[in-house]
Amino acid sequence: MTDSLSSVPVPDQSPANFQADFTKPDGRALTLYGLQPIEITGELPNIGDPVDARPVLRWHPLRSEWVMYAAHRLNRTFLPPPDYNPLAPTRVGGHPTELPGGNYDLAVFDNRFPSLTLDAPTPQNPLERAGVGKCEVVVFSQNADGRLSDLTDDQMALLIEVWADRTTRLAATGKIHSVLAFENRGVEVGVTLHHPHGQIYAYDHIPPVQERMVAAVQTHRAKSGRAWLTDFVAAEREAAVRVIHDGGRAISIVPPFARYTYETWVMPTRAASLLSDLDAAERRALAVTLKDALLRLDALFGVRMPYLMTVHQAPVNAPHPDFPLHIEIYPYLRAPGRMKFLAGTEQGAGEFANDKFPEAAAQELRGVTL
């Protein structure tokens, strides 16, 4: 239990983007971000002993992809009681958590149970290679009961900046080739902590999904001479049947090839490959459009929609100017009370079956009252 708190020094902060870096008692990194100057109440809490992470990768020869193995993750926190929330700020007299009390909006820290680490040891098994990479936790809010969509427009824009900053920092390690920010929400998709948060996985290789995207947009460029995202946005605006919300600099769409019933893509309307490529106005537009999309999904059936959200950026190992920066949201309800489960064709063949045409889904989402 934490009985008393004393102040901890806050490093110098940039007045344009308030952030402060710390080292937790167990050696893990912590960065706090805020719309106002960051203040810390008390010491940095120590949640437990350091975890000996030795992740490894094994190659799947028939799928041409790496599989991560991290046995230490079996002991990670699983649906703790409300009085022990490891993602909430530590309170006087309460259990120590991952975060200090104080004035800040978002927090990023090294995952205590990572699937990948920058200093992963070389395994002895010839079938394995070191699981080199990095796993970070992004806490969206100090409010344990809130949603990502409950953030203000300013806080949502700050989150876009945080994702951009983490990508830039991870690329600077020289060991990372691709960065994926994502959020799992709802026990239906395997969430073990309800506090609003996401994660970032940084890989020392380009994962299959991003690799296929790179190849696809290169083919499009070779055939048309234009960026895929530019043509896609223009076509969807002209069709005007799958667009959910058009904010000018950013747009949300149920793509014509949607795999999930209410699958939603949020993207800038100007072709960009990384969040850091966007200017301040474009980042804010992307943030506002993302918030609109999430609110519509929750309002659709009057419940918190379980979903998986992934932020797709270009690989960072080399320039990929045609990579289409975008956010994909996969809602797991296909109708009120009806889950979308991956069945034989999805799991066995990698080909999805959808119960509803994207045009009908987009019309429903447009009609939602916010």
Side-chain angles (χ1 to χ4, degrees):
M1 304 284 281
T2 299
D3 298 319
S4 64
L5 296 174
S6 58
S7 62
V8 61
V10 176
D12 291 339
Q13 303 172 52
S14 166
N17 180 20
F18 296 104
Q19 61 187 60
D21 295 315
F22 303 89
T23 300
K24 296 166 65 66
D26 63 3
R28 288 180 294 138
L30 165 68
T31 304
L32 303 179
Y33 296 85
L35 298 172
Q36 303 294 328
I38 292 164
E39 299 175 355
I40 297 300
T41 304
E43 299 178 348
L44 294 176
N46 185 19
I47 198 170
D49 295 330
V51 173
D52 183 20
R54 297 175 176 270
V56 298
L57 301 177
R58 291 186 178 181
W59 182 251
H60 192 309
L62 296 184
R63 295 177 64 96
S64 295
E65 61 191 31
W66 291 103
V67 180
M68 293 177 281
Y69 295 88
H72 60 276
R73 285 176 55 80
L74 284 173
N75 297 320
R76 67 187 185 273
T77 307
F78 180 79
L79 296 176
D83 60 338
Y84 176 55
N85 175 5
L87 300 185
T90 297
R91 306 299 182 191
V92 175
H95 293 282
T97 70
E98 291 281 13
L99 301 177
N103 180 42
Y104 56 89
D105 292 284
L106 287 89
V108 179
F109 60 87
D110 290 344
N111 196 321
R112 188 163 174 251
F113 301 96
S115 298
L116 300 165
T117 63
L118 289 175
D119 57 356
T122 301
Q124 299 299 315
N125 190 332
L127 294 177
E128 300 170 348
R129 74 170 180 87
V132 175
K134 203 163 191 288
C135 298
E136 298 181 333
V137 178
V138 183
V139 181
F140 299 143
S141 168
Q142 295 191 28
N143 179 10
D145 299 320
R147 306 169 296 174
L148 174 54
S149 57
D150 289 330
L151 300 187
T152 66
D153 289 353
D154 287 341
Q155 290 171 328
M156 288 290 288
L158 177 61
L159 174 60
I160 300 297
E161 292 184 18
V162 168
W163 283 335
D165 181 57
R166 302 319 299 181
T167 302
T168 300
R169 291 192 188 205
L170 290 163
T173 66
K175 296 183 178 182
I176 299 304
H177 287 193
S178 184
V179 178
L180 181 74
F182 62 92
E183 181 197 9
N184 299 326
R185 193 179 80 166
V187 294
E188 298 88 346
V189 298
V191 167
T192 59
L193 293 172
H194 292 303
H195 193 115
H197 73 287
Q199 298 184 62
I200 295 175
Y201 270 45
Y203 311 90
D204 73 342
H205 57 279
I206 302 177
V209 170
Q210 285 69 34
E211 193 171 47
R212 288 195 293 269
M213 288 183 184
V214 169
V217 296
Q218 287 176 342
T219 299
H220 184 87
R221 167 67 73 174
K223 290 181 177 179
S224 69
R226 297 181 300 274
W228 179 86
L229 189 145
T230 300
D231 283 355
F232 178 70
V233 170
E236 289 305 305
R237 278 176 162 170
E238 182 178 1
V241 290
R242 290 174 293 270
V243 173
I244 304 169
H245 173 77
D246 191 339
R249 292 185 173 92
I251 195 169
S252 60
I253 298 167
V254 178
F257 40 77
R259 299 176 303 163
Y260 291 81
T261 305
Y262 297 98
E263 182 174 336
T264 300
W265 286 26
V266 179
M267 61 183 62
T269 53
R270 178 180 67 87
S273 59
L274 295 167
L275 290 168
S276 57
D277 294 338
L278 304 179
D279 62 30
E282 290 171 325
R283 291 188 194 183
R284 186 174 183 83
L286 189 69
V288 171
T289 304
L290 174 59
K291 178 177 178 176
D292 177 89
L294 295 175
L295 287 172
R296 288 178 187 276
L297 288 171
D298 279 0
L300 184 63
F301 302 135
V303 298
R304 291 194 177 192
M305 174 71 78
Y307 63 75
L308 171 60
M309 178 181 70
T310 54
V311 183
H312 293 274
Q313 300 184 82
V316 297
N317 64 318
H320 295 277
D322 283 331
F323 189 94
L325 166 66
H326 67 286
I327 300 171
E328 299 183 10
I329 308 171
Y330 319 130
Y332 273 67
L333 287 180
R334 54 190 175 87
R338 296 186 180 182
M339 288 284 296
K340 167 63 177 178
F341 294 103
L342 298 188
T345 184
E346 287 96 354
Q347 294 278 34
E351 297 195 3
F352 276 63
N354 196 337
D355 299 335
K356 182 172 293 188
F357 282 102
E359 296 76 16
Q363 183 177 13
E364 290 180 52
L365 289 170
R366 282 195 303 270
V368 166
T369 301
L370 299 181

